[in-house]
Amino acid sequence: MLDVSLLTPPQRRVYEELFAVGAPRPPADDALARDARALLFARTAPVAALRRRGTPGLVLNKTALDALGCDGRYRDLRDAGFAWSPATVLGTLVHRGVELDHAGRRRAAASDVVAHAWRDFAAKGESAGRYLTTLRGVEADALRGEAAARIIEFRDCFPLVPATWNVRFELRLRVPLHRGALELRGTPDLVLGTGHPAQRRMLLIDFKTGQRSAKDRADVRFYALLSTLKYATAPFRVATYYLDEAEWDAEDVDAGTLEATVRLIADRALRAAELEWAPPPETALRLVAGVACRWCARAPACPARLAADAGYVAGKAA
Ligand code: SF4
């Protein structure tokens, strides 16, 4: 247990309200995982039916699933791939720094933590590390400084979890289905608690360094589903923690959460399969303007985006 009197007010809120330390956990319920798996398997069966012989299966992570909110954005993502920028790599750097900071019990200076995370990425040859090695001078210094400031912020607002707790950062979750025709992958930033024979004790948290987005809830629900299928027990809660606000959005996981998530994921997986293996013509794409237009390369000429912009301007003028 933590000595709560040593926590800052925001840290205490996280400990008492988000972690809900001392509150009873829901009883284990095998039916949650069993029903979610059966529904997911049934609703994604058409994905396997569409797969062409000899082609690799679909691998969908949260980036791909988010992109599938619009056919055009999914094609854009597939064509261009994911591109790092100072803004996108900042979150990755901070998340690794938070992990290292936990391991070091927050004894090192934040700038040293960031420097270590930076070297760590570069040494491992991960794509984020390769991108970081291209940054130089003021651009690199600005990124290091911002990451260090975020870590100091995080220390101020999020409690240092006791070393005796079961803590996992960047936990890899993978759910293969239909003999590899479809694989779902996710990596929640922080998982507290472990499996238990009689209770649902896991809490999954995703950290966000930017603004809130409507997709954040769907992202953590996706992690809830993957975790449920992997461990055959559902987490008791999932949450998105917003570093800029020291606030969070949390949801207690139940059968309704999992069922809604399965339906959404299955619908998007089926659409991905159609776009990959039975591609419709450009004129038949379902284009849905939204927040993803901001980073979609199709935006300048996209009719849905242009119509949405025109509607917005007309609405403001009315
Ligand atoms: S600009 Fe927006 S609506 Fe058009 S394809 Fe991209 S994400 Fe979809």
Side-chain angles (χ1 to χ4, degrees), residues 32-110:
L32 285 177
R34 195 176 56 235
D35 293 351
R37 182 172 288 278
L39 184 63
L40 182 64
F41 198 80
R43 291 188 70 93
T44 55
V47 173
L50 277 170
R51 184 186 189 185
R52 294 200 196 124
R53 186 185 292 270
T55 56
L58 274 179
V59 177
L60 298 178
N61 58 17
K62 85 175 177 183
T63 303
L65 289 164
D66 288 341
L68 282 159
C70 168
D71 291 350
R73 172 58 189 144
Y74 181 72
R75 281 202 171 162
D76 173 53
L77 180 71
R78 300 288 290 182
D79 292 346
F82 179 79
W84 289 104
S85 66
T88 55
V89 86
L90 172 65
T92 303
L93 193 59
V94 171
H95 295 173
R96 181 65 61 88
V98 164
E99 179 179 357
L100 295 172
D101 209 26
H102 169 79
R105 311 307 297 158
R106 298 188 177 175
R107 286 188 291 261

Side-chain angles (χ1 to χ4, degrees), residues 70-73 76 287-290 292-293 296-300 302-305:
C70 168
D71 291 350
R73 172 58 189 144
D76 173 53
L287 302 179
V288 182
C293 300
C296 178
R298 292 172 163 244
C302 173
R305 163 69 192 260

Side-chain angles (χ1 to χ4, degrees), residues 91-276:
T92 303
L93 193 59
V94 171
H95 295 173
R96 181 65 61 88
V98 164
E99 179 179 357
L100 295 172
D101 209 26
H102 169 79
R105 311 307 297 158
R106 298 188 177 175
R107 286 188 291 261
S111 56
D112 290 343
V113 172
V114 171
H116 193 102
W118 191 294
R119 285 196 301 272
D120 199 32
F121 273 125
K124 285 183 175 156
E126 296 172 2
S127 65
R130 290 195 296 277
Y131 174 74
L132 287 173
T133 58
T134 68
L135 300 179
R136 297 274 184 281
V138 175
E139 194 173 32
D141 291 342
L143 185 59
R144 284 193 192 94
E146 187 152 3
R150 300 291 177 109
I151 287 174
I152 294 168
E153 283 277 297
F154 186 76
R155 287 176 174 177
D156 263 354
C157 300
F158 203 89
L160 178 61
V161 176
T164 52
W165 283 17
N166 291 303
V167 180
R168 283 168 282 182
F169 288 90
E170 305 275 333
L171 176 67
R172 290 173 195 267
L173 301 170
R174 197 171 70 85
V175 174
L177 294 157
H178 306 294
R179 298 172 184 264
L182 173 63
E183 184 172 304
L184 304 175
R185 291 182 187 172
T187 312
D189 292 324
L190 174 64
V191 177
L192 298 177
T194 57
H196 187 278
Q199 295 176 339
R200 296 196 282 128
R201 302 186 63 86
M202 275 196 227
L203 167 61
L204 277 54
I205 301 176
D206 220 26
F207 298 125
K208 294 285 180 201
T209 45
Q211 291 181 339
R212 291 185 186 228
S213 165
K215 70 182 184 57
D216 296 344
R217 177 67 75 93
D219 288 348
V220 289
R221 282 180 161 202
F222 176 54
Y223 294 148
L225 175 64
L226 297 185
S227 171
T228 300
L229 298 179
K230 177 175 178 179
Y231 298 108
T233 188
F236 81 93
R237 178 175 291 172
V238 287
T240 308
Y241 185 86
Y242 298 96
L243 276 70
D244 291 359
E245 304 175 30
E247 284 290 346
W248 63 87
D249 175 58
E251 181 176 21
D252 289 349
V253 177
D254 60 18
T257 313
L258 294 173
E259 183 181 332
T261 306
V262 167
R263 291 181 187 282
L264 178 69
I265 300 300
D267 286 351
R268 293 199 168 184
L270 181 55
R271 189 57 180 163
E274 290 167 349
L275 291 168
E276 297 284 348

